[in-house]
Short mmCIF file of all heavy atoms in Angstrom, two decimals:
data_model
loop_
_atom_site.label_atom_id
_atom_site.label_comp_id
_atom_site.label_asym_id
_atom_site.label_seq_id
_atom_site.Cartn_x
_atom_site.Cartn_y
_atom_site.Cartn_z
N GLY A 1137 -45.54 -12.57 48.70
CA GLY A 1137 -45.19 -12.84 47.32
C GLY A 1137 -43.71 -13.09 47.09
O GLY A 1137 -43.33 -13.65 46.07
N TRP A 1138 -42.85 -12.66 48.02
CA TRP A 1138 -41.41 -12.86 47.85
C TRP A 1138 -40.95 -14.20 48.43
O TRP A 1138 -39.79 -14.58 48.25
CB TRP A 1138 -40.63 -11.74 48.53
CG TRP A 1138 -40.76 -10.43 47.83
CD1 TRP A 1138 -41.59 -9.41 48.18
CD2 TRP A 1138 -40.04 -9.98 46.68
NE1 TRP A 1138 -41.42 -8.36 47.30
CE2 TRP A 1138 -40.48 -8.69 46.39
CE3 TRP A 1138 -39.07 -10.56 45.88
CZ2 TRP A 1138 -39.97 -7.95 45.32
CZ3 TRP A 1138 -38.58 -9.83 44.82
CH2 TRP A 1138 -39.03 -8.55 44.54
N ARG A 1143 -36.20 -13.24 43.03
CA ARG A 1143 -36.45 -12.07 42.18
C ARG A 1143 -35.77 -10.82 42.72
O ARG A 1143 -35.23 -10.02 41.96
CB ARG A 1143 -37.96 -11.84 42.06
CG ARG A 1143 -38.31 -10.72 41.13
CD ARG A 1143 -38.07 -11.16 39.68
NE ARG A 1143 -38.41 -10.07 38.80
CZ ARG A 1143 -37.55 -9.46 38.00
NH1 ARG A 1143 -36.32 -9.86 37.93
NH2 ARG A 1143 -37.92 -8.47 37.24
N ASN A 1169 -52.21 0.48 34.77
CA ASN A 1169 -52.82 -0.69 34.15
C ASN A 1169 -54.09 -0.26 33.42
O ASN A 1169 -54.90 0.49 33.95
CB ASN A 1169 -53.16 -1.74 35.21
CG ASN A 1169 -53.64 -3.03 34.60
OD1 ASN A 1169 -53.07 -3.52 33.63
ND2 ASN A 1169 -54.69 -3.59 35.16
N GLN A 1182 -46.47 0.12 43.64
CA GLN A 1182 -45.59 -0.93 43.14
C GLN A 1182 -45.14 -0.57 41.73
O GLN A 1182 -45.82 0.16 41.02
CB GLN A 1182 -46.33 -2.27 43.14
CG GLN A 1182 -46.77 -2.65 44.54
CD GLN A 1182 -47.40 -4.02 44.60
OE1 GLN A 1182 -47.29 -4.83 43.69
NE2 GLN A 1182 -48.08 -4.29 45.71
N VAL A 1183 -43.97 -1.11 41.34
CA VAL A 1183 -43.42 -0.86 40.01
C VAL A 1183 -43.30 -2.20 39.30
O VAL A 1183 -42.81 -3.18 39.87
CB VAL A 1183 -42.06 -0.14 40.09
CG1 VAL A 1183 -41.42 -0.04 38.72
CG2 VAL A 1183 -42.25 1.24 40.69
N ASP A 1184 -43.75 -2.23 38.05
CA ASP A 1184 -43.85 -3.45 37.27
C ASP A 1184 -43.07 -3.31 35.97
O ASP A 1184 -43.00 -2.22 35.40
CB ASP A 1184 -45.32 -3.71 36.95
CG ASP A 1184 -45.52 -4.87 36.01
OD1 ASP A 1184 -45.13 -5.99 36.37
OD2 ASP A 1184 -46.08 -4.65 34.92
N HIS A 1185 -42.50 -4.42 35.51
CA HIS A 1185 -41.83 -4.45 34.22
C HIS A 1185 -42.89 -4.63 33.13
O HIS A 1185 -43.72 -5.52 33.21
CB HIS A 1185 -40.83 -5.61 34.16
CG HIS A 1185 -39.66 -5.43 35.05
ND1 HIS A 1185 -39.73 -5.63 36.42
CD2 HIS A 1185 -38.41 -5.04 34.80
CE1 HIS A 1185 -38.56 -5.38 36.95
NE2 HIS A 1185 -37.72 -5.02 35.99
N LYS A 1189 -38.73 -9.19 32.13
CA LYS A 1189 -38.49 -8.93 33.55
C LYS A 1189 -37.04 -8.56 33.85
O LYS A 1189 -36.73 -8.13 34.96
CB LYS A 1189 -38.90 -10.13 34.40
CG LYS A 1189 -38.03 -11.36 34.21
CD LYS A 1189 -38.51 -12.49 35.10
CE LYS A 1189 -37.61 -13.68 35.00
NZ LYS A 1189 -38.00 -14.73 35.94
N GLN A 1198 -43.56 0.54 34.85
CA GLN A 1198 -44.80 1.29 35.07
C GLN A 1198 -45.24 1.13 36.52
O GLN A 1198 -44.95 0.14 37.17
CB GLN A 1198 -45.89 0.79 34.14
CG GLN A 1198 -46.31 -0.65 34.40
CD GLN A 1198 -47.37 -1.14 33.44
OE1 GLN A 1198 -48.00 -0.35 32.75
NE2 GLN A 1198 -47.58 -2.45 33.39
N LEU A 1200 -48.04 0.46 39.28
CA LEU A 1200 -49.29 -0.30 39.39
C LEU A 1200 -49.77 -0.31 40.83
O LEU A 1200 -48.96 -0.25 41.76
CB LEU A 1200 -49.09 -1.75 38.95
CG LEU A 1200 -48.81 -2.04 37.48
CD1 LEU A 1200 -48.69 -3.55 37.26
CD2 LEU A 1200 -49.87 -1.47 36.58
N CYS A 1201 -51.09 -0.41 41.00
CA CYS A 1201 -51.63 -0.60 42.35
C CYS A 1201 -51.42 -2.08 42.72
O CYS A 1201 -51.14 -2.92 41.86
CB CYS A 1201 -53.11 -0.22 42.40
SG CYS A 1201 -54.21 -1.28 41.43
N ALA A 1202 -51.55 -2.40 43.99
CA ALA A 1202 -51.30 -3.77 44.45
C ALA A 1202 -52.23 -4.77 43.79
O ALA A 1202 -51.81 -5.87 43.40
CB ALA A 1202 -51.44 -3.83 45.97
N ASP A 1203 -53.51 -4.42 43.61
CA ASP A 1203 -54.47 -5.35 43.01
C ASP A 1203 -54.13 -5.65 41.55
O ASP A 1203 -54.14 -6.80 41.13
CB ASP A 1203 -55.89 -4.79 43.09
CG ASP A 1203 -56.43 -4.79 44.51
OD1 ASP A 1203 -55.90 -5.54 45.36
OD2 ASP A 1203 -57.38 -4.03 44.77
N CYS A 1204 -53.84 -4.61 40.77
CA CYS A 1204 -53.52 -4.81 39.35
C CYS A 1204 -52.21 -5.58 39.19
O CYS A 1204 -52.09 -6.43 38.31
CB CYS A 1204 -53.45 -3.47 38.61
SG CYS A 1204 -55.08 -2.72 38.33
N HIS A 1205 -51.23 -5.30 40.06
CA HIS A 1205 -49.95 -6.01 39.97
C HIS A 1205 -50.15 -7.50 40.30
O HIS A 1205 -49.61 -8.38 39.62
CB HIS A 1205 -48.93 -5.38 40.90
CG HIS A 1205 -47.52 -5.74 40.57
ND1 HIS A 1205 -46.49 -5.47 41.41
CD2 HIS A 1205 -46.97 -6.36 39.51
CE1 HIS A 1205 -45.36 -5.91 40.87
NE2 HIS A 1205 -45.63 -6.46 39.72
N ALA A 1206 -50.93 -7.78 41.34
CA ALA A 1206 -51.20 -9.18 41.71
C ALA A 1206 -51.94 -9.89 40.58
O ALA A 1206 -51.62 -11.05 40.25
CB ALA A 1206 -52.01 -9.24 43.00
N HIS A 1207 -52.89 -9.22 39.97
CA HIS A 1207 -53.66 -9.82 38.88
C HIS A 1207 -52.76 -10.10 37.68
O HIS A 1207 -52.81 -11.19 37.09
CB HIS A 1207 -54.81 -8.89 38.48
CG HIS A 1207 -55.71 -9.46 37.45
ND1 HIS A 1207 -56.61 -10.46 37.71
CD2 HIS A 1207 -55.84 -9.17 36.13
CE1 HIS A 1207 -57.26 -10.77 36.60
NE2 HIS A 1207 -56.81 -10.00 35.63
N LYS A 1208 -51.91 -9.14 37.32
CA LYS A 1208 -51.01 -9.32 36.19
C LYS A 1208 -50.01 -10.46 36.47
O LYS A 1208 -49.78 -11.31 35.62
CB LYS A 1208 -50.25 -8.03 35.90
CG LYS A 1208 -49.29 -8.17 34.73
CD LYS A 1208 -48.51 -6.91 34.45
CE LYS A 1208 -47.53 -7.18 33.32
NZ LYS A 1208 -46.56 -6.13 33.16
N SER A 1209 -49.43 -10.47 37.67
CA SER A 1209 -48.47 -11.52 38.02
C SER A 1209 -49.12 -12.90 38.01
O SER A 1209 -48.52 -13.88 37.57
CB SER A 1209 -47.86 -11.24 39.39
OG SER A 1209 -47.11 -10.04 39.34
N SER A 1210 -50.35 -12.97 38.47
CA SER A 1210 -51.08 -14.24 38.48
C SER A 1210 -51.32 -14.73 37.06
O SER A 1210 -51.13 -15.91 36.76
CB SER A 1210 -52.41 -14.07 39.21
OG SER A 1210 -53.16 -15.26 39.15
N ARG A 1211 -51.73 -13.83 36.17
CA ARG A 1211 -51.93 -14.19 34.76
C ARG A 1211 -50.65 -14.71 34.14
O ARG A 1211 -50.65 -15.72 33.43
CB ARG A 1211 -52.41 -12.96 33.97
CG ARG A 1211 -53.88 -12.82 33.83
CD ARG A 1211 -54.29 -11.82 32.77
NE ARG A 1211 -53.32 -10.82 32.41
CZ ARG A 1211 -53.29 -9.58 32.86
NH1 ARG A 1211 -54.19 -9.17 33.72
NH2 ARG A 1211 -52.37 -8.73 32.47
N GLN A 1212 -49.54 -14.02 34.42
CA GLN A 1212 -48.25 -14.44 33.84
C GLN A 1212 -47.82 -15.80 34.39
O GLN A 1212 -47.33 -16.64 33.65
CB GLN A 1212 -47.17 -13.39 34.13
CG GLN A 1212 -47.37 -12.12 33.37
CD GLN A 1212 -46.40 -11.02 33.80
OE1 GLN A 1212 -46.00 -10.96 34.95
NE2 GLN A 1212 -46.05 -10.17 32.87
N GLY A 1213 -48.01 -16.01 35.68
CA GLY A 1213 -47.65 -17.29 36.29
C GLY A 1213 -48.49 -18.43 35.74
O GLY A 1213 -47.97 -19.52 35.45
N ASN A 1214 -49.79 -18.20 35.59
CA ASN A 1214 -50.66 -19.23 35.04
C ASN A 1214 -50.31 -19.53 33.59
O ASN A 1214 -50.30 -20.69 33.17
CB ASN A 1214 -52.13 -18.81 35.15
CG ASN A 1214 -52.63 -18.92 36.57
OD1 ASN A 1214 -52.16 -19.74 37.33
ND2 ASN A 1214 -53.58 -18.07 36.92
N ALA A 1215 -50.00 -18.50 32.82
CA ALA A 1215 -49.61 -18.71 31.41
C ALA A 1215 -48.34 -19.54 31.33
O ALA A 1215 -48.22 -20.43 30.49
CB ALA A 1215 -49.43 -17.37 30.71
N ALA A 1216 -47.38 -19.26 32.22
CA ALA A 1216 -46.13 -20.02 32.23
C ALA A 1216 -46.38 -21.48 32.60
O ALA A 1216 -45.81 -22.40 32.02
CB ALA A 1216 -45.13 -19.39 33.19
N ARG A 1217 -47.26 -21.71 33.58
CA ARG A 1217 -47.58 -23.08 33.97
C ARG A 1217 -48.26 -23.84 32.83
O ARG A 1217 -47.96 -25.00 32.57
CB ARG A 1217 -48.45 -23.10 35.22
CG ARG A 1217 -47.66 -23.00 36.49
CD ARG A 1217 -48.51 -23.27 37.71
NE ARG A 1217 -49.46 -22.20 37.98
CZ ARG A 1217 -49.15 -21.03 38.52
NH1 ARG A 1217 -47.91 -20.77 38.86
NH2 ARG A 1217 -50.06 -20.12 38.75
#
Side-chain angles (χ1 to χ4, degrees):
W1138 289 99
R1143 184 73 180 117
N1169 187 44
Q1182 300 184 16
V1183 173
D1184 173 61
H1185 292 77
K1189 68 179 184 175
Q1198 65 182 345
L1200 292 182
C1201 66
D1203 290 340
C1204 286
H1205 198 192
H1207 184 73
K1208 180 181 177 192
S1209 296
S1210 177
R1211 266 194 338 261
Q1212 290 172 329
N1214 286 330
R1217 276 190 290 284

